[in-house]
Amino acid sequence: MAGTGVFSEILDGDVYKYYAEGEWKRSSSGKSVAIINPTTRKTQYKVQACTQEEVNMVMETAKSAQKSWAKTPLWRRAEFLHKAAAILKEHKAPIAECLVKEIAKPAKDSVTEVVRSGDLVSYCAEEGVRILGEGKFLVSDSFPGNERNKYCLTSKIPIGVVLAIPPFNYPVNLAVSKIAPALIAGNSIVLKPPTQGAVAALHMVNCFHLAGFPRGLISCVTGRGSEIGDFLTMHPGVNCISFTGGDTGIAISKKAGMVPLQMELGGKDACIVLEDADLDLVAANVIKGGFSYSGQRCTAVKVILVMESVADALVEKVKARVAKLTVGPPEENCDITPVVSESSSNYIEGLVKDAKQKGATFCQEYRREGNLIWPLLLDNVRPDMRIAWEEPFGPVLPVIRISSVEEGIHHCNASNFGLQGCVFTRDINKAMLISDAMETGTVQINSAPARGPDHFPFQGIKDSGIGSQGITNSINMMTKVKTTVINLPTPSYTMG
Ligand code: NAP
């Protein structure tokens, strides 16, 4: 159970502690932040509201801990990560319990998130050992005008203190996808978990604590992003920011100093359906892609762009599957569970009302109880409706009927987002042309957009992000290249 057994140390009365200097601590602010259970809409947990002084102290210890961690052999760093991964998986049940209560993720999916996170940490340790164990050797005579008298050795070195800020929808997985690459590369880490999801994240951090990482190397400060976020992201002690979330990331990018940024932001993933598509396959993927975790996924299908000639048939097939989705509490593993907050529900409702007023066809009746919104397919959506462009982050999916593939590509590219997209057709040549024409970080052919498997490169363009994630890319992003040049007094040529 959450907060008990090996996790009892992280709880102080009814408030979860924050983690600094290798210890679980109470904030000197004396204040806490309430986490509302999206299902009951009552306070479920409380976390510390950390102060700026506490952030300063965490940055100091992160800086000095990193210096000795960088001197820890790579194989030994990997050993620590493998140990943390095993502990994480062993304690999947209490962590998943937090996910169910904090973010209303269905129970089974919550367990999957923790197990997937353990696998990610192990994979990262293995990949780090391989790619950080290699450097480059260059010789000077390949550049015009040079003799072979300079030998250049390159290696990847740590960047320093990495600030990790994940979003509410994958508070464990999107935290470890930043923590593990940072650590294997020899960096220290300061984690600011999302408020909804903070307690799951604190349990996850305790697994790293139990694995015996050096004191101060990993810290986790809690508090509302709106209150301590700017102080963290603009802190001079931060050497790299890895952020996943919404538009907040755009504001952070504008304010951050001269540090590398990894930004994974929102999306409006389009699903383009051609006349020759396997419509049963499309319908299955639309359900999985659009309604899993009630549509609260960055890579959820967020608009269907279907050729008019097959639109009626597709809408009928999707409607039939929507009717089979179960709606209710996450504890019962329902397909559709309450969305994360009341403000989120209100936002979704605003999009639905706008679509209604502008004449969209409702394939189901709109229904909401508290934060629970029944799955809704909106047909005949037009570009003047907000839902055509905005990210609902809820179980509402618009269908736009198109008369040409070009119209679909144009809609996709007119979005300010460019995370993923997908195209359904039996013609691989057409699929490749469409994939090339879509201005998104990834295009899936004949499947819904998805972030995993976690070692695949994952990136958004335009307002969807900066840089690329995926295990190898994250490790590379969290390192600098260092070169040493050996200058010979006379050129030296190998004779073979
Ligand atoms: P969000 O509101 O942007 O919050 C993300 C994180 O930023 C949270 O930890 C939040 O903390 C923190 N934060 C808030 N204000 C901050 C500030 N001024 N400075 C620093 N940090 C601050 O996003 P969300 O609602 O959690 O997540 C949903 C969004 O994430 C969607 O747009 C979705 O598409 C996107 N997302 C993108 C990806 C991807 O990989 N591209 C993956 C998943 C989700 P608090 O919770 O304390 O406010």
Side-chain angles (χ1 to χ4, degrees):
M1 205 183 137
T4 64
V6 294
F7 298 106
S8 52
E9 205 193 332
I10 76 173
L11 191 56
D12 176 42
D14 66 344
V15 186
Y16 278 89
K17 297 182 201 165
Y18 77 102
Y19 185 63
E21 297 180 295
E23 290 169 20
W24 291 97
K25 300 186 180 219
R26 230 182 310 173
S27 169
S28 62
S29 71
K31 291 188 194 150
S32 62
V33 177
I35 296 169
I36 310 295
N37 182 324
T39 312
T40 63
R41 293 190 288 155
K42 298 207 168 85
T43 298
Q44 182 71 45
Y45 302 120
K46 289 179 196 162
V47 292
Q48 310 286 330
C50 290
T51 64
Q52 296 189 347
E53 290 68 36
E54 283 155 353
V55 169
N56 284 336
M57 183 268 297
V58 153
M59 292 295 173
E60 270 309 304
T61 47
K63 191 175 174 183
S64 62
Q66 190 270 325
K67 300 274 179 241
S68 39
W69 181 243
K71 291 182 190 153
T72 305
L74 189 49
W75 64 265
R76 183 89 185 98
R77 285 185 237 153
E79 268 189 0
F80 275 110
L81 284 171
H82 282 303
K83 194 165 172 199
I87 298 171
L88 194 59
K89 284 169 136 181
E90 184 189 339
H91 296 290
K92 58 182 186 287
I95 304 175
E97 176 196 325
C98 300
L99 293 173
V100 170
K101 291 181 177 159
E102 284 183 287
I103 60 163
K105 184 167 278 190
K108 251 172 58 202
D109 297 346
S110 296
V111 173
T112 305
E113 177 172 345
V114 184
V115 173
R116 169 185 178 184
S117 301
D119 290 338
L120 190 160
V121 174
S122 295
Y123 193 106
C124 199
E126 287 166 21
E127 186 71 351
V129 165
R130 282 192 286 270
I131 65 170
L132 296 168
E134 276 180 2
K136 263 190 178 174
F137 172 58
L138 293 89
V139 286
S140 48
D141 68 327
S142 53
F143 199 88
N146 284 271
E147 295 281 9
R148 198 173 188 273
N149 63 336
K150 288 176 188 287
Y151 292 173
C152 177
L153 308 171
T154 78
S155 62
K156 287 174 194 153
I157 62 164
I159 210 157
V161 178
V162 175
L163 172 64
I165 306 183
F168 81 84
N169 60 346
Y170 290 88
V172 174
N173 183 263
L174 284 170
V176 301
S177 73
K178 304 171 189 314
I179 295 172
L183 293 178
I184 193 67
N187 302 295
S188 59
I189 189 102
V190 175
L191 171 69
K192 201 314 266 175
T195 295
Q196 300 291 140
V199 175
L202 290 167
H203 281 71
M204 173 274 294
V205 168
N206 195 46
C207 296
F208 282 76
H209 169 71
L210 296 171
F213 282 89
R215 186 184 154 272
L217 187 70
I218 302 167
S219 315
C220 183
V221 287
T222 50
R224 289 202 184 285
S226 52
E227 283 162 25
I228 56 165
D230 283 356
F231 192 72
L232 276 161
T233 53
M234 297 199 295
H235 200 285
V238 170
N239 303 114
C240 169
I241 302 174
S242 176
F243 176 93
T244 307
D247 286 352
T248 319
I250 297 176
I252 293 173
S253 306
K254 288 182 180 149
K255 286 186 245 175
M258 282 276 289
V259 297
L261 301 177
Q262 188 178 48
M263 292 281 157
E264 292 295 346
L265 311 182
K268 184 72 183 172
D269 293 8
C271 172
I272 300 182
V273 184
L274 271 53
E275 284 162 322
D276 68 343
D278 174 344
L279 295 184
D280 288 310
L281 180 71
V282 181
N285 276 277
V286 160
I287 293 294
K288 179 166 75 105
F291 295 104
S292 300
Y293 187 34
S294 309
Q296 297 172 111
R297 294 164 51 251
C298 55
T299 55
V301 170
K302 291 185 185 131
V303 56
I304 300 172
L305 300 160
V306 56
M307 291 294 286
E308 179 69 61
S309 59
V310 291
D312 284 344
L314 179 65
V315 166
E316 276 317 305
K317 284 180 192 289
V318 176
K319 250 171 88 173
R321 287 172 190 257
V322 166
K324 291 190 188 138
L325 292 173
T326 54
V327 182
E331 288 82 356
E332 289 174 19
N333 273 314
C334 291
D335 298 313
I336 304 294
T337 55
V339 297
V340 71
S341 64
E342 191 175 341
S343 62
S344 191
S345 320
N346 292 343
Y347 180 75
I348 298 163
E349 188 162 296
L351 295 178
V352 171
K353 281 185 176 162
D354 174 78
K356 176 119 205 151
Q357 196 199 335
K358 292 174 182 159
T361 307
F362 279 52
C363 299
Q364 298 80 20
E365 199 186 328
Y366 172 65
R367 189 171 163 201
R368 171 183 170 186
E369 278 173 24
N371 296 335
L372 190 59
I373 294 176
W374 269 252
L376 179 61
L377 188 69
L378 298 174
D379 194 4
N380 295 304
V381 165
R382 288 188 324 264
D384 65 331
M385 300 176 192
R386 287 175 56 203
I387 191 86
W389 305 104
E390 296 178 38
E391 190 186 29
F393 234 57
V396 179
L397 188 52
V399 178
I400 297 180
R401 293 167 175 241
I402 52 174
S403 50
S404 69
V405 175
E406 289 69 27
E407 194 184 333
I409 294 168
H410 176 76
H411 186 92
C412 167
N413 292 350
S415 169
N416 56 328
F417 292 119
L419 191 58
Q420 288 209 1
C422 60
V423 51
F424 285 85
T425 170
R426 289 186 166 95
D427 185 336
I428 187 65
N429 298 325
K430 274 191 197 156
M432 284 310 301
L433 290 174
I434 294 168
S435 169
D436 283 340
M438 286 169 82
E439 293 169 5
T440 60
T442 303
V443 175
Q444 304 267 351
I445 296 173
N446 291 327
S447 184
R451 186 162 50 86
D454 286 324
H455 68 301
F456 280 12
F458 178 63
Q459 55 281 316
I461 56 176
K462 298 194 273 186
D463 284 354
S464 289
I466 300 174
S468 176
Q469 273 198 76
I471 290 173
T472 312
N473 286 345
S474 291
I475 295 174
N476 284 331
M477 185 265 170
M478 293 175 186
T479 57
K480 283 181 284 197
V481 174
K482 166 92 185 195
T483 63
T484 302
V485 181
I486 301 167
N487 290 276
L488 302 179
T490 53
S492 173
Y493 289 87
T494 52
M495 307 312 282

